[in-house]
Amino acid sequence: MSLTRADVEKVSLLARLRLTPAEIDLFTPQLGAILDYVEQLGRLDTTDVSPMAHAVELTNVFRADELIPSLPREAALVNAPRADGECYLVPAVLGE
Amino acid sequence: MDLTQSTASSLLELLGTGQLTSVELTRHYLDRIATHDARIGAFLRVDADSSLAQARAIDAKRQAGQPVGLLGGLPVAVKDVIAQRGELLTCGSRMLENFRSPYDAGIIERLTAADAVLLGRTNMDEFAMGGSNENSAYFPCRNPWNTACIPGGSSGGAAAAIAADFAPLSIGTDTGGSIRQPAGLCGVTGLKPTYGRVSRYGLVAFASSLDQIGPLAHTARDAALLLQVIAGHDPRDSTSVNAAVPPYSQTVTQPLAGLRLGIVPEHFAAGLDGEVAAAVKSAINVYETLGASVREVELPHAQYAVATYYIIAPCEASSNLARYDGVHYGRRAEMGPLTAELAAERKELLAAGRAADAAKVDNNLVRMYRQSRAEGFGTEVKRRIMIGAYALSAGYYDAYYVKALKVRRLIRQDYDRAFEHVDLIVGPVSPTTAFPIGQKANDPLAMYLDDLYTVSANLAGIGGIAIPCGMSAAGLPIGLQLTAPPFQEDRLLRAAHMFQTATDWHTRRPKM
């Protein structure tokens, strides 16, 4: 398969990345080559193989239902680019 | 006192007998860093005041006759991907240039409790993505054996710090070889523990099902000491395994009788550099003289490991790195120019009669995300996010991601079968010695293919160790890799120590 510029542009929106035209020029063939390489997995018959998502296959790990302190709000907000002391601030999206 | 050939174990003895104080030792390393690190670039930041204060407190404890922890005043360098309260945590990225950790990682608590001195934060490929340390957003790290060459990555700074003798112990992380490969290329010992052996709480996630924290040091004995401190269950990491930690530092010196080693013929196929092959083969001969038996084993799906890895790791990365949205923490683009730019784009499209296109222009929030991430991430990180987003997108998820997860199981089953016949598998760490900086910068796939011997252990979740086993004619270190069944770190360390009692590769140090 080969990847097109339009594919790369579409994925850049999904990935919430803004790519420059130069980056799209660079990535289109590079990502295409990587995807061509990984296509080799298609040669393997994996019909009866179940997917392995994790090296230690745990289903659920529970802890006792006890209150433990969480990160204080001030500490959680201290690295925010914009905050008002209570909330993270973001650009308005409604009623634009 | 001449400390130039010291190891963590020998220094601990000097500290214990009072011949050396932690303050003197910390000063020694701070001085070496100040003198030499400008041309290596192993550290992103060193905090002299704080590390000397820690050293003073440990010395005071010892002088007062109080018990001290297992690391008793030894300096430890930490890769800049692990949270340390109040300290910068950049992950080698502009995205987190000003980010300060609000809490300590599990292993930082353990290091502190063991009376380590936290010396500074080591350089790395951005978000641990890379095998050369050239992807650091700040400056590349260089190989102490030849500063024109890469140190390997992503824990390039962690390995270079040991090789250059800037610290006796360091902490790295390994998602696809990021401890073992730089250890091999810098001539030091580096261990990737079994997945779940060490808590990932406070480790910035790259690929959560593959990431593991581990030790780097001059010797297996030193690595055993550091692993003993950092290993163990942590309820805050639900994937950390609740199993007792063996006393690695006590057992490491015990040789393994009747050791059965496996070699994989494909590991010695085309692509492996001749000098590396010769050094690895003579290392296997050393094991034979120590009484080990060697037989061939098959890992029939090993040839698919790189393809499997470069689907799974980018998928997990694109998901994990979605958190860098310019809202909660990290870089945010300036909104003023963006808002104006968006208005102009819409106006231009409307003027051209393209109302449908004008309606598709990003809204403020989406453009803010996209621009913030564009400014914060470097090229390799963007590349991997793009591969992951593509492989996870509608219509491709089964063909790429689910397929790779199935092959992952085949790779794990290969190991399970091979380990029915052998105790350890032995082979090269990397196909070549360290290459010149810049050589593979424009060919990401070529860089990925260098990971062919290391990524399988991460996919299977098993442990592996890299130890020095030779030098090339050009004076660059060659590494030997041993891999073991899950939770057999003790076996890996003992086998590595056996080799280090019979050889002196681990004692060689670059001229600084």
Side-chain angles (χ1 to χ4, degrees):
Chain A
M1 69 158 292
S2 63
L3 206 64
T4 65
R5 281 181 64 95
D7 293 330
V8 174
E9 281 180 45
K10 183 184 153 205
V11 175
S12 77
L13 173 60
L14 296 176
R16 295 293 186 262
L17 282 173
R18 190 180 190 200
L19 300 182
T20 64
E23 282 175 317
I24 295 174
D25 287 341
L26 178 72
F27 285 169
T28 303
Q30 285 181 343
L31 300 181
I34 294 162
L35 291 169
D36 286 344
Y37 177 78
V38 303
E39 295 268 301
Q40 62 175 288
L41 297 189
R43 296 204 299 259
L44 282 170
D45 180 5
T46 51
T47 320
D48 296 320
V49 183
S50 62
M52 176 178 162
H54 238 262
V56 181
E57 295 185 88
L58 304 160
T59 40
N60 270 313
V61 177
F62 296 107
R63 66 165 176 85
D65 185 18
E66 287 161 2
L67 282 179
I68 48 170
S70 53
L71 201 62
R73 180 154 64 188
E74 315 81 74
L77 288 173
V78 77
N79 283 297
R82 285 198 66 202
D84 68 359
E86 290 188 4
C87 298
Y88 298 104
L89 297 181
V90 294
V93 274
L94 298 175
E96 249 191 293
Chain B
M1 191 180 300
D2 180 22
L3 299 173
T4 49
Q5 278 295 318
S6 47
T7 62
S9 311
S10 71
L11 291 169
L12 205 51
E13 225 172 280
L14 295 174
L15 289 164
T17 55
Q19 290 164 271
L20 181 68
T21 66
S22 179
V23 167
E24 287 165 348
L25 185 60
T26 304
R27 281 227 169 85
H28 163 75
Y29 287 115
L30 289 170
D31 287 347
R32 281 189 66 85
I33 295 166
T35 310
H36 301 293
D37 200 34
R39 61 190 189 87
I40 304 293
F43 282 87
L44 289 174
R45 293 176 307 284
V46 174
D47 190 342
D49 292 344
S50 151
S51 51
L52 286 169
Q54 295 169 53
R56 263 192 294 276
I58 299 162
D59 284 337
K61 239 163 80 166
R62 195 176 253 128
Q63 276 149 21
Q66 291 166 12
V68 291
L70 212 52
L71 297 178
L74 287 175
V76 178
V78 177
K79 186 177 179 180
D80 202 22
V81 70
I82 292 166
Q84 189 180 332
R85 194 202 314 263
E87 299 292 325
L88 287 171
L89 171 58
T90 70
C91 299
S93 180
R94 293 282 170 211
M95 179 59 82
L96 294 175
E97 206 161 10
N98 301 309
F99 179 83
R100 284 187 188 274
S101 308
Y103 59 85
D104 277 334
I107 70 141
I108 295 293
E109 293 173 351
R110 285 173 186 265
L111 288 170
T112 307
D115 287 321
V117 171
L118 302 172
L119 194 61
R121 314 279 300 181
T122 56
N123 204 349
M124 58 184 284
D125 285 300
E126 185 177 3
F127 286 105
M129 297 180 195
S132 69
N133 216 126
E134 293 165 292
N135 299 331
S136 167
Y138 299 96
F139 42 85
C141 177
R142 293 164 183 277
N143 194 311
W145 290 91
N146 180 342
T147 53
C149 292
I150 59 130
S154 66
S155 310
I162 299 296
D165 209 15
F166 293 156
L169 297 169
S170 82
I171 295 285
T173 64
D174 191 314
T175 304
S178 285
I179 289 174
R180 290 160 288 154
Q181 184 253 22
L185 299 184
C186 288
V188 305
T189 299
L191 184 141
K192 176 206 117 53
T194 307
Y195 186 81
R197 181 72 284 187
V198 178
S199 168
R200 293 181 296 111
Y201 177 73
L203 162 64
V204 177
F206 156 20
S208 307
S209 82
L210 305 165
D211 298 339
Q212 189 62 196
I213 297 172
L216 294 99
H218 287 295
T219 66
R221 202 175 165 179
D222 292 355
L225 178 72
L226 187 51
L227 180 64
Q228 190 171 331
V229 169
I230 62 173
H233 182 239
D234 180 349
R236 297 164 299 182
D237 169 8
S238 61
T239 64
S240 83
V241 171
N242 198 349
V245 178
Y248 302 115
S249 64
Q250 290 164 36
T251 54
V252 62
T253 51
Q254 298 167 9
L256 294 158
L259 181 64
R260 299 170 304 160
L261 294 179
I263 53 170
V264 183
E266 288 79 12
H267 285 175
F268 297 89
L272 181 64
D273 173 84
E275 281 183 295
V276 176
V280 169
K281 281 176 185 159
S282 67
I284 294 167
N285 290 339
V286 169
Y287 273 109
E288 286 180 309
T289 64
L290 292 169
S293 62
V294 180
R295 59 166 285 179
E296 285 190 2
V297 290
E298 284 183 10
L299 297 176
H301 299 94
Q303 58 179 305
Y304 298 102
V306 172
T308 306
Y309 179 84
Y310 279 98
I311 296 172
I312 293 174
C315 285
E316 293 189 19
S318 84
S319 172
N320 272 324
L321 272 62
R323 72 191 59 181
Y324 303 104
D325 56 1
V327 174
H328 300 90
Y329 44 81
R331 189 181 184 95
R332 178 189 289 199
E334 287 289 333
M335 276 316 292
L338 276 189
T339 314
E341 186 183 55
L342 284 167
E345 278 176 37
R346 286 192 200 96
K347 195 173 158 192
E348 195 179 312
L349 288 166
L350 285 172
R354 294 166 60 189
D357 288 335
K360 281 190 216 153
V361 171
D362 295 341
N363 69 32
N364 281 345
L365 188 62
V366 168
R367 182 60 63 91
M368 190 276 279
Y369 292 149
R370 297 181 77 177
Q371 182 66 25
S372 300
R373 290 160 64 80
E375 292 173 5
F377 292 140
T379 305
E380 180 60 22
V381 172
K382 289 177 186 170
R383 213 160 17 227
R384 296 207 195 184
I385 289 173
M386 290 288 291
I387 297 168
Y390 180 83
L392 291 172
S393 65
Y396 296 103
Y397 177 83
D398 286 319
Y400 288 104
Y401 182 62
V402 176
K403 183 78 185 185
L405 293 183
K406 290 179 173 181
V407 181
R408 182 177 187 181
R409 183 174 302 282
L410 297 175
I411 290 168
R412 170 61 187 255
Q413 287 172 348
D414 285 352
Y415 275 109
D416 290 344
R417 287 191 192 115
F419 285 129
E420 287 171 10
H421 307 288
V422 295
D423 302 314
L424 297 170
I425 293 173
V426 61
V429 184
S430 306
T432 65
T433 54
F435 53 83
I437 289 174
Q439 191 186 72
K440 298 184 184 179
N442 298 316
D443 192 349
L445 185 56
M447 193 87 92
Y448 297 173
L449 292 172
D450 278 351
D451 299 345
L452 81 165
Y453 305 128
T454 51
V455 291
S456 303
N458 301 80
L459 292 167
I462 62 173
I465 194 167
I467 52 176
C469 75
M471 295 292 278
S472 71
L476 288 165
I478 297 171
L480 182 77
Q481 177 173 231
L482 300 163
T483 50
F487 300 102
Q488 296 301 329
E489 284 75 14
D490 179 66
R491 192 184 292 168
L492 283 174
L493 289 160
R494 288 166 70 184
H497 179 76
M498 277 169 75
F499 186 80
Q500 293 179 340
T501 56
T503 59
D504 67 355
W505 301 110
H506 61 289
T507 66
R508 315 242 175 143
R509 310 265 171 117
K511 283 195 189 70
M512 294 300 291

